[in-house]
Amino acid sequence: MAAPAARRQSPAPSADTARRLIHATTLVAWIITVAWALRMGTGLWGMPGTMGLPLPGFVVMWAVMMTAMMFSSIGPLAVLYSRTLDSPHRLLGLGAGYLLAWATTGFAAYVIADLFGGLASGRPALAQAVAVGCFVLAGLYQLTPLKRRCLSHCRSPIAHLVRLISFRGRWRDVRAGLHHGLFCLGCCWGLMVLMVAVGVMNVAAMVLLAAIIAAEKHWRYGETLAPVVGIACLVWAAVIVVEPGAAPGLDPAATTMSGMPMGS
């Protein structure tokens, strides 16, 4: 009589399973991102605006980029959450909810990149001011209590685990991932604004920002690093005032890369 019950149960996912899934997904996303950038001819430094992509293509590209940059951030929560699950497939719901929170920001990113990319093509002084504003905004946000609160959530997911595992229904794992993703978005949106100034799909900037975000969330001195990064953003804003090329995503001179016109 016990055998049928045993067959109905799936083995609980292990912490190692969670880590492997996260590492594999992140690696695949980075490979796709770099391949996409090379195929579009943007190289490592990206191009201004939306790079000629329509809204659907841009949102897909953005989702892949966010997966590459942000998915590893769910690691500590996924390991803890996996210990409460009765099936490894439920980890997919957690990851899907987390990525959904970041993928939907692609719509806002498209509007912002399209608008400011247009400004860069005809109003270089205004584009320079926008670039300065992006760095000032990111820098100031790094110093706010809201940033510290969201960062604290991401650094200590165990404090919020009880709430997440209390979700019920078919979509409970997606809701848990979405809930955590929104806190992560609250922690990191200021840094993502910088992609407008340095160039969407700027792979070099993506790697740097991903490293900063990972250090903020996982390094023992991450909470101290956050305001340091904020001050560095403010300093870089001052650099852009002197040298607009320090923000290649809004520099009119960056409409070509390696002699190739944008969109070729």
Side-chain angles (χ1 to χ4, degrees):
M1 295 297 293
R7 285 195 296 268
R8 286 195 298 268
Q9 294 178 349
S10 299
S14 66
D16 289 339
T17 298
R19 293 189 185 97
R20 284 195 295 268
L21 286 171
I22 291 168
H23 293 332
T25 302
T26 301
L27 177 60
V28 170
W30 274 114
I31 291 173
I32 294 174
T33 298
V34 173
W36 198 333
L38 294 176
R39 181 175 179 274
M40 293 186 66
T42 65
L44 291 179
W45 307 106
M47 289 182 178
T50 63
M51 301 175 292
L53 290 172
L55 177 60
F58 183 92
V59 171
V60 171
M61 177 203 71
W62 184 265
V64 174
M65 287 170 51
M66 293 301 101
T67 302
M69 295 177 67
M70 302 304 306
F71 198 54
S72 62
S73 296
I74 202 176
L77 175 66
V79 169
L80 292 172
Y81 196 78
S82 68
R83 296 170 182 167
T84 71
L85 303 181
D86 54 10
S87 168
H89 302 294
R90 291 182 56 189
L91 277 175
L92 300 179
L94 180 74
Y98 181 81
L99 293 179
L100 178 63
W102 279 104
T104 53
T105 63
F107 294 96
Y110 179 86
V111 172
I112 295 171
D114 186 52
L115 173 63
F116 294 147
L119 291 176
S121 64
R123 301 183 182 91
L126 182 56
Q128 181 183 15
V130 170
V132 171
C134 287
F135 274 87
V136 169
L137 178 63
L140 292 178
Y141 184 72
Q142 289 286 113
L143 307 176
T144 63
L146 181 58
K147 164 71 180 190
R148 290 195 295 273
R149 181 190 174 196
C150 292
L151 179 58
S152 176
H153 171 97
C154 295
R155 288 176 58 86
S156 304
I158 193 171
H160 307 274
L161 186 63
V162 173
R163 179 176 181 182
L164 296 183
I165 63 177
S166 69
F167 292 157
R168 294 291 180 265
R170 177 179 296 183
W171 301 99
R172 61 190 182 276
D173 301 313
V174 175
R175 287 178 58 203
L178 180 62
H179 182 273
H180 185 65
L182 291 176
F183 268 97
C184 189
L185 178 58
C187 176
C188 304
W189 71 265
L191 295 176
M192 292 305 168
V193 168
L194 299 181
M195 296 301 295
V196 174
V198 300
V200 177
M201 220 172 192
N202 183 327
V203 177
M206 287 173 59
V207 171
L208 177 59
L209 288 176
I212 290 173
I213 290 168
E216 284 187 353
K217 293 184 177 183
H218 305 309
W219 189 32
R220 61 182 298 184
Y221 301 114
E223 290 179 309
T224 301
L225 175 64
V228 173
V229 171
I231 294 172
C233 287
L234 296 176
V235 171
W236 199 256
V239 172
I240 298 172
V241 172
V242 178
E243 176 49 64
L250 288 167
D251 182 9
T255 54
T256 60
M257 182 67 65
S258 302
M260 296 177 64
M262 203 171 81
S264 63

